[in-house]
């Protein structure tokens, strides 16, 4: 049996064979103390819960800590003065009671499953499977292309799309912007980025403009300069590049 | 034994899995459903009356020949076959919740059990006892789990309805708790 | 049948391999070799005289209970006639991913589906719909899967290119390569 499980944020949780969680521990306290589940003496049960956590070395387990905190909160709420009129008061224990009952119900099902499973475990099915029969054991498959495409569709709906698809809504036009940049620097000795990409441009235009500038700088047709961080980029025609 | 009973015996013997009645009927196109049932009864009676070490069991979604429990210990001691490992209490609790609430997502299971169930779900899935049956429409579209045929087989259930209904359990959620309506509806679905 | 014969029946039924006579003797410390032999004879005779569909055979280095040869054909025929099975949604989705992204490793499939696909891959492989087509150069050299001829046959496709490809399919099911500039531009042209 797995007594040690790595439970996410809780770190290393020692799953004691007798308690499979805080609700289990709480239920066993309620049974030991013979108290009415609909009228839990929260202060007493809370104190015992914390004591058992310490003695079982469950202090580090987030799930048990969370339950201890919940019990303390309910205890505090019970101490608050109740407003006049019975119907206005909502028992702070109600939610906990509901969860405990639900959990206990499930434990009963576990008992049933345990009994059934144990009974089945004690019987063996025929273990020897003739090799020659193995391939024929598979029943024919009922599967149409429509079903496969349906599955493709489900995968598509659930797959996380790479971010690039969400950012860019229009085709990037690097070649087009190369022409724009060439036109701009043909007119001006020094141009600014906003001359190529006017303010208010769409993201695809900004990206296309930037890629066009980088591409032309690589080809040596222009030089890019940024005087200070975050300053507007200066675009300067490169005469040597043009000559080459 | 009549010839149909023998044919069924051969088929059941050759299969490591339970075989549903209608698939057994496919063995002999001439045989009526009543004849198949009669042959199954004859086979079962034969194993019982003749004192065989095996018996015919209707469980796990179909018919299966299984050894009787009294021989298990000797067989395991002689290491001729091994019983499957027992499931941990954590795994059983998680299975119980999935069996009754399927389709159900991980968060809802954790709400009921009060602990993280990620690793338990993984191991139940690896053992083929549960499978992903869909996705919730809730935020993040979490996966929904349900039990499998192997689950029925492992607990020798003919179908899920053989599990006790929640209102048959000793602890019934009483009217005091808020989700009465939902609970009633759920009872209905299971029964 | 005497109790030793029954114990032998249970053990032979439950064992995945033939068991030699001396190992069978280990089942019951009290039993003499002669008693074990006598019990085996009784079991064999019982199967023969009572007209069971199975027989006790001494072959392959030990004793085995096997179905009689005359039923082999009927069993195989029946298995072919079994009600066609459907693939689970989990298996279908995994198959779809492999079909469109092959060759693909298990880790990549799991990244898309968000769940363990070990058992699903195993069953698709057993069904002959996918096969190992190579190994990745990635760490651990994981196996890469692709679809088979049986896959094409199942969908009556002549070749993989006949699988419908919409633009959306092409984008979302594309292998996630490092996001280079070309990649950005190329993705975009597709949409």
């Amino acid at each position: 049996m797995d007594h040690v499980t790595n439970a996410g944020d809780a770190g290393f949780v020692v799953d004691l064979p007798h308690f499979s969680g805080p609700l289990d521990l709480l239920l066993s306290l309620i049974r030991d103390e013979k108290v009415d589940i609909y009228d839990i003496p929260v202060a007493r049960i809370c104190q015992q819960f914390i004591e058992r956590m310490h003695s079982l070395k469950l202090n580090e387990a987030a799930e048990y800590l969370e339950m201890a905190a919940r019990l303390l909160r309910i205890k505090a709420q019970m101490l608050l003065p109740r407003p006049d009129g019975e119907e206005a008061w909502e028992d702070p224990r109600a939610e906990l009671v509901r969860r405990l009952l639900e959990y206990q119900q499930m434990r009963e099902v576990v008992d049933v499953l345990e009994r059934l499973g144990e009974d089945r475990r004690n019987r063996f099915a025929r273990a020897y499977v003739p090799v020659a029969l193995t391939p024929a054991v598979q029943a024919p498959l009922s599967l149409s292309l429509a079903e496969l495409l349906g599955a493709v569709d489900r995968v598509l709906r659930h797959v996380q799309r790479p971010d690039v698809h969400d950012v860019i809504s229009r085709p990037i036009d690097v070649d087009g912007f190369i022409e724009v940049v060439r036109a701009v620097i043909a007119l001006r000795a020094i141009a600014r980025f906003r001359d190529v990409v006017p303010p208010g441009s769409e993201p695809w235009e900004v990206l296309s403009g930037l890629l066009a500038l980088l591409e032309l700088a690589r080809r040596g047709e222009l030089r890019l300069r940024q005087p200070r961080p975050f300053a507007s980029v200066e675009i300067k025609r490169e005469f040597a590049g043009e000559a080459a | 034994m009549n010839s149909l009973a023998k044919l069924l015996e051969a088929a059941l013997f050759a299969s490591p899995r339970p075989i549903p009645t209608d698939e057994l009927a496919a063995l002999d196109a001439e045989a009526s459903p009543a004849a198949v049932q009669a042959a199954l009864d004859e086979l079962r009676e034969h194993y019982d009356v003749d004192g065989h070490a095996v018996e015919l069991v209707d469980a796990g979604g179909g018919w299966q020949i299984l050894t009787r429990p009294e021989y298990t210990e000797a067989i395991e001691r002689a290491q001729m076959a091994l019983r499957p490992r027992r499931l941990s209490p954590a795994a059983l609790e998680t299975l119980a919740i999935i069996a009754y609430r399927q389709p159900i997502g991980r968060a809802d299971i954790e709400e009921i059990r009060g602990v993280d169930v990620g690793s338990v779900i993984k191991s139940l899935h690896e053992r083929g006892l549960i499978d992903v049956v869909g996705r919730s429409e809730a935020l993040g579209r979490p996966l929904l789990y349900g039990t499998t045929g192997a689950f029925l087989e492992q607990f020798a259930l003919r179908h899920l309805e053989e599990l006790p209904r929640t209102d048959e359990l000793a602890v019934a959620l009483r009217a005091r708790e808020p989700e009465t309506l939902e609970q009633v509806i759920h009872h209905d679905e299971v029964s």
Side-chain angles (χ1 to χ4, degrees), chain A, chain B:
Chain A
M1 267 191 276
D2 268 3
H3 290 172
V4 178
T5 45
N6 199 350
D9 293 338
F12 226 48
V13 176
V14 179
D15 187 12
L16 288 165
H18 293 300
F19 298 110
S20 61
L23 288 166
D24 198 11
L25 172 55
L26 198 55
L27 264 188
S28 99
L29 286 176
I30 287 167
R31 261 195 305 272
D32 292 353
E33 294 293 308
K34 297 187 173 61
V35 299
D36 179 2
I37 198 164
Y38 289 103
D39 190 17
I40 301 169
V42 180
R44 191 166 109 216
I45 291 293
C46 179
Q47 189 198 340
Q48 298 205 351
F49 186 88
I50 292 169
E51 279 171 16
R52 290 288 274 277
M53 270 177 67
H54 285 298
S55 64
L56 294 171
K57 306 224 180 327
L58 294 168
N59 311 20
E60 298 297 312
E63 292 136 352
Y64 288 86
L65 285 172
E66 194 192 328
M67 179 57 75
R70 185 189 301 266
L71 290 170
L72 287 168
R73 197 166 58 241
I74 295 172
K75 183 179 143 188
Q77 282 168 340
M78 296 289 285
L79 294 174
L80 291 175
R82 296 182 197 185
D84 290 339
E86 282 276 319
E87 71 280 1
W89 190 71
E90 198 179 318
D91 194 331
R93 300 169 295 185
E95 167 66 11
L96 184 64
V97 169
R98 186 193 64 79
R99 286 189 62 191
L100 278 170
L101 287 174
E102 187 176 45
Y103 181 77
Q104 200 178 347
Q105 195 175 55
M106 192 271 310
R107 291 290 314 182
E108 277 186 60
V109 176
V110 167
D111 291 342
V112 172
L113 285 180
E114 219 158 23
R115 189 164 38 75
L116 293 172
E118 197 55 23
D119 188 47
R120 178 61 186 82
R121 262 185 88 238
N122 285 327
R123 296 155 182 273
F124 292 114
R126 193 190 182 208
Y128 175 74
V129 181
V131 181
L133 279 177
T134 317
V137 165
Q138 302 277 9
L141 206 54
S142 157
L143 186 57
S144 68
L145 193 55
E147 280 175 286
L148 183 76
L149 294 177
V152 171
D153 191 50
R154 285 201 302 278
V155 171
L156 282 175
R157 271 187 282 124
H158 303 145
V159 79
Q160 282 188 336
R161 303 199 178 187
D163 290 343
V164 284
H165 303 297
D166 298 327
V167 175
I168 305 160
S169 55
R170 302 261 314 261
I172 289 177
D173 183 11
V174 179
D175 289 341
F177 270 79
I178 283 177
E179 295 313 312
V180 171
V181 174
R182 280 181 177 147
V184 167
I185 58 178
L187 293 169
R188 295 179 173 194
I190 296 180
R192 305 271 177 198
F193 186 67
R194 64 170 176 273
D195 297 326
V196 177
V197 182
S201 293
E202 288 191 33
W204 72 271
E205 294 172 309
V206 176
L207 197 49
S208 304
L210 183 63
L211 292 173
L213 286 171
L214 291 172
E215 177 60 25
L216 288 173
R218 191 181 65 79
R219 295 189 198 166
E221 290 187 34
L222 53 77
R223 189 183 291 169
L224 296 171
R225 205 174 81 88
Q226 195 172 28
R228 333 174 275 289
F230 305 113
S232 185
V233 174
E234 291 176 9
I235 305 159
K236 206 174 166 191
R237 209 177 328 154
E238 186 67 274
F239 294 101
E242 268 183 353
Chain B
M1 290 197 288
N2 74 31
S3 65
L4 181 58
K6 282 200 246 180
L7 182 58
L8 297 187
E9 181 181 45
L12 289 165
F13 218 87
S15 166
R17 301 250 92 98
I19 310 179
T21 312
D22 56 343
E23 288 184 20
L24 284 173
L27 279 164
D28 184 349
E30 318 273 288
S32 67
V36 171
Q37 191 54 56
L40 282 168
D41 288 341
E42 186 184 345
L43 193 57
R44 179 165 51 186
E45 225 178 278
H46 183 89
Y47 288 153
D48 290 346
V49 173
D50 249 34
H52 277 274
V54 293
E55 60 185 326
L56 187 60
V57 177
D58 177 15
W63 295 89
Q64 201 174 13
I65 302 175
L66 297 174
T67 60
R68 293 179 200 271
E70 54 260 45
Y71 303 101
T72 303
E73 220 185 292
I75 293 169
E76 201 169 50
R77 206 172 339 105
Q79 295 190 331
M80 285 164 188
L82 287 178
R83 276 182 283 188
R85 279 172 40 167
R86 260 195 206 97
L87 287 176
S88 70
L92 276 172
E93 283 185 14
T94 307
L95 257 185
I97 294 168
I98 294 174
Y100 276 81
R101 295 286 174 88
Q102 56 191 310
I104 185 173
R106 175 174 161 180
D108 289 335
I109 302 169
E110 289 178 346
E111 163 78 20
I112 297 172
R113 284 202 53 220
V115 293
D116 180 279
V117 297
S119 60
V120 175
I121 283 188
K122 188 162 175 285
S123 96
L124 289 174
H125 191 251
E126 275 169 7
R127 293 179 77 150
L129 297 171
I130 62 169
D131 204 354
V132 175
V133 294
R135 271 181 195 260
S136 161
E137 293 299 321
L139 190 69
R141 304 189 45 75
L143 298 171
L144 296 175
Y145 299 93
T147 53
T148 62
F151 166 82
L152 294 178
E153 206 186 325
Q154 177 135 353
F155 295 96
L157 294 165
R158 258 170 300 190
H159 34 68
L160 279 173
E161 288 70 28
E162 280 199 345
L163 284 173
R165 293 206 318 266
T166 44
D167 57 6
E168 289 170 347
L169 298 169
V171 180
L173 295 185
R174 301 193 199 159
R176 276 180 79 148
E177 56 95 17
E179 274 138 311
T180 315
L181 193 61
E182 208 173 286
Q183 203 58 33
V184 169
I185 291 165
H186 185 71
H187 280 173
D188 265 325
E189 281 170 359
V190 173
S191 58

